[in-house]
Amino acid sequence: MKAIVVRGPFQYKMEECKRKSPGAGEVLIKVAAVGLCGTDVGILSNEMQYYKSGQAKLPIIPGHEWSGYIEEVGPGVEDFVPGDAVTGECTVRCGFCSYCQKGLPHLCVNRTETGVMNRDGGYAQYITFPASSLHKINGISMDHAALVEPAGIAMQAVKRAEIGPDDNVLIVGPGPIGLLAAQIAKRIYAAKKVIISGTRDERLKRAENYTDAAVNIKKHDLPQRVKEVTQGEGINAIVVAAGGASVFSDCEKVLAPGGRISICGFFDSTKADCNWDFISTNNIDIRGSLGSPNVWPFVISCIQRGVLDVETIISHRMPLESTEDFQKALDMMTNRADNSCKIILYPNGEIK
């Protein structure tokens, strides 16, 4: 099979790889669609924390947002059959450690992360995957099924912020995760006011139907807009979907006392100063949000019922049959060309 393989910092190409037969409890899946993600850039550069700390090793086939059809089932697999449309979780837990036993699989000490940490992902024609981390996706397209993973990341970040109907919410960063988080905060958790901030008008425009304000911080004063939209109340909960040097200073300017900050965006090598006296004297909670534990069935049902509209973040659909195909999509995303947002790739050349 063909797959994009990363062997060193910015050393990647389409290679001919051996297709792995499914072992006990595994299935072989023909990949239908895979989403290009900003996290992939951290993997390609080796700047992602997992690689800098030594938790993750190369080589790896990236791609953690994917969907496909089961081709073959291994011994002991009973809940899936060939032809089933599926998507798989990024975090693959061991099921036995203390964190798994506590229902915290994303913190599993023996975990792998699909296409991210020590487990090959979906930038390939086929993926061999444990059935225990698979989900059936009847009733939604393969494109949309590939976006269950980022939607799950956004769902977990909103949950960590404990957003409810009395809350004014700020989403920092109008990338795919931020756009999904804004939608979830408004449509699913019924936040009183939802504001999204960023620097790209095209991205901010995508959020108009499910936010109360979309603020370009290069053109408008964010604290003033927050004051106007919330009638002086300020922000109760912030979801940081994009790490940046000024994130915490921006949060300080708009957070009401007792506010919560939920961080799911990676900072990689970016350093962000924080006024810790503001955090303590205003009783502010800062919460990391890793992965998407225990939310996948709910996210899938939200997409199936149309409560969560993932189509709104898709900007491009492109083939993935060569290194050049991958590079073209990667350049489009990193250079922010052609109003790119979420790019869906097709490793088997099947654009639907």
Side-chain angles (χ1 to χ4, degrees):
M1 69 173 186
K2 292 181 179 180
I4 293 291
V5 182
V6 183
R7 297 194 177 276
F10 294 112
Q11 298 174 23
Y12 53 87
K13 66 178 180 178
M14 182 76 77
E15 297 184 12
E16 190 66 39
C17 302
K18 183 179 180 181
R19 190 170 70 184
K20 298 177 182 178
S21 298
E26 294 182 329
V27 301
L28 176 67
I29 301 160
K30 184 176 182 179
V31 178
V34 57
L36 187 63
C37 177
T39 298
D40 296 325
V41 178
I43 296 170
L44 298 177
S45 67
N46 266 206
E47 284 296 314
M48 186 183 181
Q49 179 61 26
Y50 290 159
Y51 289 86
K52 290 195 294 185
S53 68
Q55 287 177 274
K57 306 289 185 182
L58 297 177
I60 192 170
I61 299 172
H64 53 279
E65 307 173 0
W66 59 271
S67 63
Y69 297 97
I70 292 178
E71 290 259 313
E72 182 183 348
V73 300
V77 175
E78 298 179 352
D79 296 332
F80 297 92
V81 298
D84 281 347
V86 295
T87 186
E89 299 200 23
C90 181
T91 300
V92 176
R93 63 195 181 278
C94 75
F96 301 103
C97 72
S98 61
Y99 289 103
C100 288
Q101 294 301 306
K102 294 174 184 176
L104 302 171
H106 58 309
L107 301 180
C108 170
V109 296
N110 303 307
R111 75 184 185 276
T112 57
E113 294 187 12
T114 312
V116 178
M117 183 170 69
N118 306 326
R119 175 176 291 276
D120 286 337
Y123 291 142
Q125 291 178 307
Y126 293 88
I127 184 171
T128 303
F129 204 76
S132 59
S133 295
L134 276 182
H135 297 271
K136 295 180 183 179
I137 49 171
N138 299 326
I140 60 178
S141 71
M142 300 308 282
D143 289 357
H144 294 177
L147 299 183
V148 172
E149 195 278 338
I153 296 293
M155 185 74 72
Q156 174 69 1
V158 172
K159 285 182 64 179
R160 289 284 287 159
E162 296 184 3
I163 291 169
D166 292 329
D167 288 325
N168 297 317
V169 177
L170 173 66
I171 309 295
V172 177
I177 300 294
L179 292 169
L180 290 167
Q183 194 176 152
I184 290 166
K186 192 67 173 181
R187 293 180 173 174
I188 297 176
Y189 286 88
K192 181 164 59 176
K193 298 290 184 181
V194 174
I195 301 168
I196 190 167
S197 66
T199 60
R200 298 177 64 185
D201 286 333
E202 189 277 337
R203 290 277 186 91
L204 293 167
K205 186 174 178 60
R206 289 177 182 269
E208 286 181 347
N209 290 333
Y210 44 83
T211 58
D212 297 280
V215 183
N216 187 323
I217 59 174
K218 288 185 176 181
K219 299 179 179 180
H220 303 284
D221 183 79
L222 179 62
Q224 182 60 35
R225 287 294 291 132
V226 166
K227 184 177 180 180
E228 293 168 357
V229 175
T230 67
Q231 297 181 331
E233 293 178 353
I235 296 295
N236 307 108
I238 297 177
V239 174
V240 177
S246 65
V247 161
F248 293 113
S249 61
D250 290 342
C251 290
E252 181 181 346
K253 296 172 185 176
V254 299
L255 260 179
R260 291 93 61 197
I261 304 173
S262 173
I263 305 172
C264 65
F266 290 148
F267 287 73
D268 290 332
S269 58
T270 300
K271 304 299 181 184
D273 291 331
C274 182
N275 179 357
W276 295 105
D277 287 337
F278 170 80
I279 300 300
S280 59
T281 58
N282 286 277
N283 202 46
I284 303 298
D285 286 344
I286 300 179
R287 304 168 182 180
S289 182
L290 175 67
S292 49
N294 311 313
V295 302
W296 281 59
F298 180 58
V299 170
I300 292 170
S301 73
C302 288
I303 297 174
Q304 287 172 330
R305 293 181 286 118
V307 178
L308 184 58
D309 183 5
V310 295
E311 178 65 29
T312 60
I313 70 170
I314 298 175
S315 61
H316 297 80
R317 291 171 164 89
M318 304 169 65
L320 179 59
E321 298 178 295
S322 66
T323 305
E324 291 73 23
D325 286 343
F326 182 69
Q327 191 64 54
K328 180 180 179 180
L330 185 66
D331 289 344
M332 181 177 289
M333 180 184 72
T334 56
N335 295 329
R336 301 181 173 183
D338 195 24
N339 292 330
S340 63
C341 190
K342 176 58 67 176
I343 301 172
I344 300 293
L345 301 173
Y346 303 88
N348 284 288
E350 300 168 354
I351 300 180
K352 298 181 179 180

